[in-house]
């Protein structure tokens, strides 16, 4: 179900999975429901893996940044 609460949950889980220290790019208030499906796809990808390389982590954070900018 599309909701801001679900988006906040997905972002929190992505932060935990990636062990992100600087979470400024991952504030749920910076995203709108139009980006829900893109965020869900990214969430599904992140949750399927147990380990990420530095490059993968940077790529995921960059993707989140792009989603945020398109708000």
């Amino acid at each position: 179900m599309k909701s801001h609460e679900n988006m906040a949950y997905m972002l929190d889980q992505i932060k935990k999975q990636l062990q992100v220290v600087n979470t400024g790019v991952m504030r749920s208030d910076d995203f709108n429901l139009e980006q829900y499906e893109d965020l869900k796809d990214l969430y599904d990808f992140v949750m399927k893996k147990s380990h990420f390389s530095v490059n993968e982590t940077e790529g995921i954070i960059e993707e989140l940044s792009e989603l945020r900018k398109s708000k």
Side-chain angles (χ1 to χ4, degrees), residues 8 11-12 14-16 18 20 22-31 57 60-61 64 68:
L11 286 166
D12 285 342
I14 290 170
K15 284 186 251 186
K16 288 178 186 174
L18 297 178
V20 174
N22 182 1
T23 60
V25 74
M26 295 186 185
R27 291 183 28 228
S28 62
D29 293 344
D30 292 337
F31 295 84
T57 300
I60 293 165
I61 292 171
L64 285 168
R68 191 181 89 189

Side-chain angles (χ1 to χ4, degrees), residues 7-68:
M7 290 180 76
Y9 173 81
M10 288 189 287
L11 286 166
D12 285 342
Q13 294 304 307
I14 290 170
K15 284 186 251 186
K16 288 178 186 174
Q17 189 77 354
L18 297 178
Q19 300 175 350
V20 174
V21 176
N22 182 1
T23 60
V25 74
M26 295 186 185
R27 291 183 28 228
S28 62
D29 293 344
D30 292 337
F31 295 84
N32 64 41
L33 286 178
E34 291 176 11
Q35 294 131 335
Y36 185 90
E37 292 301 326
D38 292 329
L39 182 59
K40 175 77 167 75
D41 290 343
L42 195 56
Y43 167 80
D44 289 341
F45 171 76
V46 169
M47 292 299 114
K48 288 179 186 176
K49 295 186 71 169
S50 61
H51 177 73
F52 296 90
S53 70
V54 172
N55 287 341
E56 287 173 320
T57 300
E58 289 174 356
I60 293 165
I61 292 171
E62 178 66 27
E63 184 67 26
L64 285 168
S65 178
E66 291 299 317
L67 287 175
R68 191 181 89 189

